[in-house]
Amino acid sequence: GPNKRTLILDPGLVFGTGTHPTTRDCLDAVQLAFRRHSPSSALDLGTGTGLLALAAARLGCRLNLAVDLNLLAAKTAKKNVDLNRLEKQIVVVQGHAEAFIDCPADLLIANIHYNVMQKLICAKGFSTQNRFILSGLLRREAKQVRIELERLSAKILKCWTHEGIWHTFY
């Protein structure tokens, strides 16, 4: 049966199977978050297949909200939640990420397009999040996100970079 190391994932037609560098880095960051202090709530914005919310739930996060604007992605994420029997821990919602940034969470996960990332970081709710994982960023975009995080006095604990292209912040 399912355990902390096993996830069942049907990618359907959407993004997020775990093979993209930003997804792998986010998975590493989620594991790091649980080594430091296990979050009891997580907000996964731009969830895709739900992989990152599934990982957080499997590691013990009791309350997870997974959001994607794409209806097909939200349906796929919900199917994956059901396949992993994590319905009591994860709620999947179809909607704009910006509409959910004010939801308090111990861990914010956003592996998302830069234009949406900008809106999230500038939103009042971003500064109320305890910890964050931000990914899906190209070099130039990561530089701008870092500048904004420094302006907010946010503490970056670790950065991942793949081939000088993809960037992830934790």
Side-chain angles (χ1 to χ4, degrees):
N3 62 40
K4 284 188 177 187
R5 300 193 186 278
T6 303
L7 288 173
I8 301 167
L9 189 69
D10 179 356
L13 300 173
V14 300
F15 183 78
T17 61
T19 59
H20 192 273
T22 61
T23 308
R24 287 194 315 263
D25 289 344
C26 284
L27 285 168
D28 288 344
V30 168
Q31 291 176 3
L32 182 60
F34 279 84
R35 275 187 239 132
R36 293 181 150 274
H37 175 69
S38 293
S40 61
S41 60
L43 179 59
D44 180 9
L45 301 177
T47 197
T49 59
L51 178 60
L52 301 174
L54 290 165
R58 184 65 81 217
L59 289 171
C61 190
R62 294 186 328 263
L63 303 169
N64 299 273
L65 179 59
V67 179
D68 205 291
L69 179 59
N70 184 296
L71 181 59
L72 180 58
K75 286 182 177 182
T76 301
K78 174 63 173 126
K79 179 179 178 184
N80 287 321
V81 167
D82 294 344
L83 283 172
N84 287 277
R85 298 185 200 127
L86 291 169
E87 306 89 348
K88 292 181 181 176
Q89 290 172 259
I90 303 173
V91 173
V92 178
V93 177
Q94 188 264 330
H96 290 272
E98 306 92 317
F100 293 88
I101 190 64
D102 291 332
C103 296
D106 293 332
L107 181 63
L108 165 67
I109 307 166
N111 187 8
I112 204 161
H113 295 287
Y114 175 64
N115 60 342
V116 178
M117 181 80 68
Q118 283 181 302
K119 294 174 187 174
L120 296 176
I121 293 172
C122 293
K124 185 179 178 181
F126 180 82
S127 61
T128 66
Q129 304 298 330
N130 290 335
R131 289 182 283 169
F132 57 81
I133 298 168
L134 306 177
S135 193
L137 302 165
L138 298 172
R139 183 181 315 131
R140 174 183 48 80
E141 299 165 347
K143 182 179 178 183
Q144 289 305 121
V145 167
R146 182 182 289 276
I147 289 168
E148 189 61 27
L149 292 173
E150 289 172 354
R151 186 187 69 74
L152 294 170
S153 300
K155 186 175 181 182
I156 299 170
L157 300 176
K158 185 168 180 172
C159 300
W160 289 261
T161 304
H162 276 278
E163 300 172 4
I165 299 170
W166 298 107
H167 297 260
T168 301
F169 296 109
Y170 168 69

